[in-house]
Structure formats: C-alpha cells, structure tokens
Amino acid sequence: MGGDLERWRVMGRHAVIFPKVVAVADALLDPVMAQLVWVDSEGERPRPLGADGAFCRRLSERVGRPWLGPLIAVDYGGPLVAWRGAVVRLRRYPEGRPGLYAPFEENVWWVRQEHQPSAMAAGLRVLAREKKMPGSGTNWRAVVPAEQRFVITNLLGEAEEQLQQLRGAQVGATAEVARSMLEGLSRGTDLLDQVLGRVMVAEVNAGVRVDEVARWARLSEEEAVELLGTYRGADDE
C-alpha cells in the first residue's frame, strides 16, 4: 500500500463492513461465472435472466445466500445487470461494437454513479483535494501518516482517561489522596509530553519551521530541537 494507506482505508471501508460484497466480487472474477452468463443469454443481447438460470444459481451457492438468485432476477437496473450486459457484449463483439468510435472497450467493472458508495466517493475527493494543497496550505491528514495520527489519538485518549480518574480521588487519608493524585498527574503529564513531542515531529516533517513549532509549544528553540531529537526516531519507525 505504501503512502496510499489513506486511499486504501477509504476504499476498503465498505469491504470490511459488507464482507459479502467481497465474496460477490471474488465470484465475478472467476471466468466460469462469465461463461455461465453467456450460456444463460444464449448469445442474444443482454436481457433479464431468470432466477433459475445457471449464473444466478451458482452465484447464490458461492456466497451462501439462496435468496440472491431471485433478487438478481428482478433487479433490472442494478450493477450486476450492467456487469452481465458487458460480459455478453464482449462475447458478441470481441473486436468492438460496430458503429462506435474506435478505440472503444467494454469495461465490465464500470459502475454508474448512482450505484457508487457516496461515502467512498466523498472520501476520495477529500484526499485528492488535500494532496493538491502545497506548502503552508497542506492539510494535517494529508501530510501526517495515519499510523502517527493513530498513536497521537490513542495517547490523548489515555491522558484524558487518566486525568478524569483524578476527579474522584480527593477522598480518604491525606497521604493516600496525595499519592494517588500525584501519581495520576505524573502519568497524565508523561502522556501529554509524548503527544507534544509527536505533534512537533509531525509538524516539522510537514515543513513547518522549528522556531514556529517551538513558539507554539512554549519552548525555546534549543528545547524544541532536543525534544524533536527524542521523538523523531520513534515516529519515523
């Protein structure tokens, strides 16, 4: 995946949520399924296929959904109909359909816009827009790897949880309350220091000047450089 992790994250969301979609796609990649479509069509132009056709029966078996065949049979405008139509046309006109401007190639995987997941399309548009913004206009999500953002978010969550626990800690013997609060504050401060260091590294790696990062973190430039050296290796791993 390389640097396209965010793109794959957007595109793979529906595959994770709807695993049967992956099962159907895997079945359609099998040349046997395309052959069944051609046999069912009897070489004629694309037309609705009955639920008892070989293609519908086999697809239902492969994904373990007996009701899928009858559903496909009445879904006259869905993506599967478009896929079957493209398969038949490719078999009938392997050199291209007559009367169309060359070069024209059938795309069995083309999906009409109304059938495309809106969340995926929107997510890809956001990524494309973010990557086009250079220099100081870069977007945080576009320049900071997802792994680093994940670590920062988790550390913030741990720090928040640690500090919230101190709300009810002021009950009991003085020494016990003091010990509990100081240990909790120390742990929360350590977590926040880790967040500070990782955010600074992310900003500098994105092209922000060290003196600006130091000013925002309320550190001297020397302190910022030292802190960056501590966390840069951890974030670059």
Side-chain angles (χ1 to χ4, degrees):
M1 294 184 184
D4 288 334
L5 178 61
E6 275 302 312
R7 180 180 178 84
W8 283 106
R9 190 188 301 277
V10 172
M11 295 177 65
R13 177 177 179 273
H14 287 79
V16 173
I17 298 175
F18 306 110
K20 286 302 176 183
V21 174
V22 178
V24 171
D26 181 63
L28 298 184
L29 287 169
D30 187 345
V32 172
M33 301 302 289
Q35 178 62 26
L36 293 178
V37 170
W38 177 246
V39 171
D40 283 345
S41 72
E42 299 178 352
E44 300 294 333
R45 63 184 178 83
R47 56 187 174 85
L49 303 180
D52 59 344
F55 171 78
C56 290
R57 289 200 311 272
R58 183 60 181 143
L59 185 59
S60 296
E61 294 170 359
R62 290 191 61 153
V63 299
R65 294 294 186 270
W67 45 262
L68 185 58
L71 182 63
I72 296 171
V74 297
D75 185 16
Y76 303 127
L80 270 177
V81 170
W83 181 84
R84 294 201 316 263
V87 167
V88 173
R89 289 190 295 271
L90 279 171
R91 296 294 183 94
R92 292 185 68 205
Y93 308 112
E95 304 299 327
R97 282 189 285 169
L100 294 178
Y101 294 105
F104 177 85
E105 296 181 2
E106 289 284 358
N107 182 2
V108 294
W109 305 115
W110 176 78
V111 179
R112 281 186 288 187
Q113 186 172 2
E114 58 266 30
H115 294 142
Q116 298 175 14
S118 57
M120 181 191 300
L124 291 176
R125 284 196 297 270
V126 169
L127 286 179
R129 184 169 61 249
E130 290 177 351
K131 291 181 183 297
K132 290 180 180 179
M133 301 171 66
S136 60
T138 54
N139 186 284
W140 171 265
R141 289 177 58 84
V143 296
V144 180
E147 295 89 344
Q148 290 186 20
R149 299 201 312 272
F150 178 79
V151 171
I152 290 171
T153 300
N154 276 4
L155 287 171
L156 282 172
E158 290 181 31
E160 182 180 13
E161 182 179 352
Q162 183 70 44
L163 295 176
Q164 283 181 342
Q165 291 176 2
L166 299 180
R167 292 178 180 271
Q170 301 185 57
V171 177
T174 302
E176 183 61 26
V177 169
R179 182 189 66 80
S180 177
M181 291 194 66
L182 289 174
E183 288 181 350
L185 286 169
S186 178
R187 172 60 178 160
T189 301
D190 178 61
L191 290 167
L192 290 175
D193 283 344
Q194 293 183 52
V195 174
L196 177 67
R198 284 175 164 79
V199 171
M200 289 173 63
V201 169
E203 289 288 348
V204 171
N205 288 345
V208 181
R209 297 200 315 270
V210 174
D211 61 321
E212 290 187 332
V213 171
R215 177 164 52 85
W216 297 335
R218 297 185 178 183
L219 298 172
S220 68
E221 192 166 341
E222 292 74 17
E223 290 172 329
V225 169
E226 182 178 355
L227 192 60
L228 286 167
T230 301
Y231 287 97
R232 190 186 295 274
D235 271 12
D236 285 346
E237 291 177 353

